[in-house]
Amino acid sequence: DSFPDLAVEVLVEGNTTQETDLKLRELFAAGTQLVWLVDPAAGTIEVCESADRAAARVLRDGDTLDGGAVLPGFTVAVRHVLA
């Protein structure tokens, strides 16, 4: 299996913390470098650079999401992603 450098997971009602944490561990173990956890219901995007969600940056409306080292120069307003 080949995993991307960047993964975007859109959380939906019913996703458990355990399921999300497992997915993060799998992605980072496979070589993914950056994961965006988009939670439309909460109005947040967690920017994860490791499987440790406690270390994630949490962005909200009014913030800007960037691609970090994976997508240099990429930026988008969080409100556009959540719209």
Side-chain angles (χ1 to χ4, degrees):
D1 287 327
S2 175
F3 283 80
D5 292 335
L6 167 66
V8 179
E9 293 287 322
V10 179
L11 303 179
V12 296
E13 187 176 332
N15 282 121
T16 67
T17 300
Q18 293 82 7
E19 290 170 332
T20 304
D21 290 348
L22 175 61
K23 183 68 172 190
L24 281 175
R25 287 193 302 273
E26 290 173 346
L27 287 166
F28 284 106
T32 298
Q33 299 173 41
L34 181 63
V35 178
W36 296 337
L37 296 176
V38 180
D39 188 340
T44 62
I45 299 174
E46 287 182 61
V47 179
C48 304
E49 295 178 339
S50 74
D52 179 11
R53 287 180 75 184
R57 289 184 295 132
V58 179
L59 304 177
R60 293 174 174 76
D61 187 24
D63 292 329
T64 300
L65 176 64
D66 67 68
V70 175
L71 289 174
F74 174 83
T75 62
V76 64
V78 168
R79 71 176 170 274
H80 292 306
V81 177
L82 296 173

